[in-house]
Amino acid sequence: MKKSRKIKFSNVAALVLTIAAVLLLVYIASGLVPTEIDDTVETESTTAATTEATTEPTTEATTTTTEATTEATTQAEEPAEPTVEEQALEILSGMSLKEQVYQLFIVRPEQITGSSEKITEAGSDFEEGLSEYPVGGIAMFSENIIDREQTIEMISDMQSYSTLGLFIAVDEEGGTVSRIGNNSAMGTTSFPSMKTIGNTGDIDEAYNVGYTIGTEILELGFNLDFAPVADVDSNPDNTVIGNRAFSTVADVAAEMVAAAVRGFEDSGILCTLKHFPGHGDTGTDSHLGYTELDKSLEELWETEFVPFASGIEAGADLVMVGHISVPQVTGDDTPASLSATMISILRDDLGFDGLIITDSMQMEAITDRYTSAEAAVMAIQAGVDIILMPDNLENAANGIIEAVENGEISEERIAESVLKILEVKIEAGIL
């Protein structure tokens, strides 16, 4: 009996293992029994993803913020570049009244040394003279210009003695008035008269005159040209302008003048419109005595002012005012260079905000009627910025200083012109 109820152990064990395996598969499939390996892998993946998501943006944002902060701090620490006006004001604040007044003059080199002979070099006597008379500029003439090497050396030496930089000026119009172009030793371009240029009707020719002259004299050390002529040659009896003007027709002259101004400006040289209000219809020469322009203001606008307005719009740096009386406009025979009425017209009506310079004060239209001091004071009172070659430099300067001290001219009036002069020098790289 016992033998028939006995079950083999091996068969039972196999059955139990089979059932256990099936149950395990069911549990695993249902996710109720996660494996240790799965849990570990999932934990590591989650941690890595979390770390990457948290660390990368934070690090990048922190770096960007740090860089921006550093840049902003650096910019805040570095002072802004001072403007031209600020630089000029800083220089002006350290100038004495005498230094300011002498900045208002451009003179011949001989007026610095006191020499009766024309000088062709600037040595210790020039250095000493410039220390005593710290003028704003020097005008050189044919007698001062021998050849390229000598001219370059003389200009370089003169500049080395000046603490505020010098305007180094020349009359280089082309044609007959060419201190450099008519000297074969200078190796520069010689141009025909401006009337010849104007007769071509080609404004590119006028531009080329300005650009070529400007480029060539800049190489020598000059920085200011008393050109172009903006007069209209409207009077055949006129002895002082003639073929120096571009045309007998105002509109033609205006186009040529504007083109020449653009040429000068592109060359890097400062240029000057001359001779305001217009010397082309005068019957006499202001070099030799009293000169009158017998026209009304309306007539001046129709002819004489046309090239000046065009040149001003083109960007001329200076306007030279002639010793020309315009009684129909001013009501008296005061030369335009000393007339507040004429200077006001130039400033307010023609809109010129650059430097106003007189023609040479050694002309007899001035010396026959005024002392150097009287003429200088009148010019400054009228609104002029620069006085060209007074007959006696020291007397002219002292006249202005005395006028300031006795209240005829305010210190502010002097500072106004000196500030403009300094600004032009800074912008032109002279100072």
Side-chain angles (χ1 to χ4, degrees):
M1 293 290 296
K2 288 181 182 178
K3 186 177 179 179
S4 61
R5 295 201 303 264
K6 187 177 179 179
I7 300 174
K8 288 185 177 180
F9 176 78
S10 59
N11 292 335
V12 174
L15 180 61
V16 171
L17 289 172
T18 300
I19 294 171
V22 171
L23 291 174
L24 180 61
L25 289 173
V26 171
Y27 272 79
I28 291 173
S30 64
L32 296 176
V33 185
T35 64
E36 183 178 346
I37 294 177
D38 286 342
D39 186 52
T40 302
V41 171
E42 183 177 347
T43 300
E44 290 177 351
S45 299
T46 303
T47 301
T50 302
T51 302
E52 181 178 355
T54 303
T55 303
E56 287 186 356
T58 302
T59 303
E60 184 176 346
T62 302
T63 302
T64 302
T65 301
T66 301
E67 290 175 352
T69 302
T70 302
E71 183 177 353
T73 302
T74 302
Q75 290 178 348
E77 291 175 351
E78 294 177 355
E81 185 72 22
T83 65
V84 169
E85 182 180 11
E86 289 171 340
Q87 294 176 61
L89 284 169
E90 178 66 22
I91 296 169
L92 180 64
S93 67
M95 295 174 67
S96 67
L97 176 60
K98 177 182 175 180
E99 289 171 329
Q100 291 182 46
V101 168
Y102 272 97
Q103 273 297 298
L104 307 176
F105 292 92
I106 292 179
V107 301
R108 289 174 178 262
E110 294 80 14
Q111 291 181 277
I112 297 298
T113 62
S115 172
S116 59
E117 302 293 327
K118 300 301 179 183
I119 66 174
T120 56
E121 61 181 22
S124 58
D125 56 344
F126 187 92
E127 182 178 11
E128 293 172 5
L130 192 62
S131 176
E132 178 64 23
Y133 310 122
V135 296
I138 300 294
M140 293 179 65
F141 287 78
S142 301
E143 299 87 349
N144 307 119
I145 300 168
I146 306 302
D147 56 39
R148 292 185 67 87
E149 183 179 356
Q150 168 268 332
T151 302
I152 291 171
E153 183 177 358
M154 181 175 176
I155 292 175
S156 177
D157 287 342
M158 289 191 296
Q159 288 287 24
S160 71
Y161 303 141
S162 174
T163 58
L164 294 178
L166 294 166
F167 288 123
I168 305 293
V170 66
D171 285 298
E172 195 66 20
E173 301 172 4
T176 56
V177 182
S178 299
R179 319 297 188 194
I180 299 169
N182 291 337
N183 181 343
S184 60
M186 298 306 294
T188 59
T189 306
S190 178
F191 286 98
S193 69
M194 292 306 99
K195 181 178 181 179
T196 301
I197 300 296
N199 285 342
T200 68
D202 187 354
I203 61 174
D204 289 340
E205 288 293 323
Y207 174 90
N208 183 56
V209 169
Y211 183 78
T212 303
I213 289 176
T215 301
E216 292 181 345
I217 67 175
L218 191 66
E219 291 175 353
L220 300 170
F222 292 95
N223 49 47
L224 171 59
D225 193 358
F226 293 143
V229 169
D231 302 306
V232 181
D233 183 29
S234 57
N235 184 346
D237 295 327
N238 183 280
T239 59
V240 65
I241 299 301
N243 63 11
R244 295 168 65 190
F246 282 104
S247 180
T248 60
V249 179
D251 289 339
V252 174
E255 289 184 339
M256 295 292 168
V257 166
V261 167
R262 290 192 292 270
F264 280 117
E265 295 295 298
D266 288 348
S267 76
I269 207 83
L270 298 169
C271 71
T272 311
L273 302 177
K274 63 184 187 184
H275 311 80
F276 184 82
H279 214 327
D281 197 15
T282 59
T284 55
D285 183 350
S286 55
H287 291 81
L288 306 176
Y290 176 80
T291 299
E292 183 176 300
L293 182 59
D294 187 22
K295 287 192 172 183
S296 67
L297 184 58
E298 291 74 15
E299 289 173 317
L300 293 177
W301 277 108
E302 290 173 359
T303 303
E304 277 74 13
F305 288 175
V306 177
F308 284 97
S310 180
I312 289 169
E313 185 176 358
D317 306 286
L318 288 83
V319 171
M320 179 180 289
V321 183
H323 309 309
I324 304 162
S325 300
V326 196
Q328 287 195 52
V329 178
T330 63
D332 57 31
D333 61 0
T334 303
S337 54
L338 312 182
S339 169
T341 298
M342 296 309 299
I343 300 302
S344 177
I345 290 172
L346 177 56
R347 284 280 189 224
D348 301 332
D349 298 340
L350 274 79
F352 182 64
D353 60 2
L355 293 173
I356 295 177
I357 183 172
T358 71
D359 205 342
S360 169
M361 290 291 210
Q362 294 178 343
M363 293 182 180
E364 292 181 19
I366 295 297
T367 59
D368 283 353
R369 303 172 63 193
Y370 310 96
T371 67
S372 294
E374 289 170 342
V377 169
M378 290 178 68
I380 298 303
Q381 289 175 328
V384 165
D385 299 304
I386 300 174
I387 297 167
L388 179 61
M389 300 184 316
D391 196 41
N392 186 304
L393 172 59
E394 190 170 13
N395 287 351
N398 287 340
I400 296 175
I401 292 171
E402 289 173 9
V404 172
E405 291 174 343
N406 65 29
E408 291 180 54
I409 298 175
S410 69
E411 292 186 25
E412 290 74 19
R413 170 67 193 89
I414 301 299
E416 176 187 3
S417 286
V418 175
L419 183 64
K420 289 168 62 177
I421 290 168
L422 295 175
E423 287 177 344
V424 170
K425 286 185 175 183
I426 293 169
E427 290 175 340
I430 299 170
L431 177 57

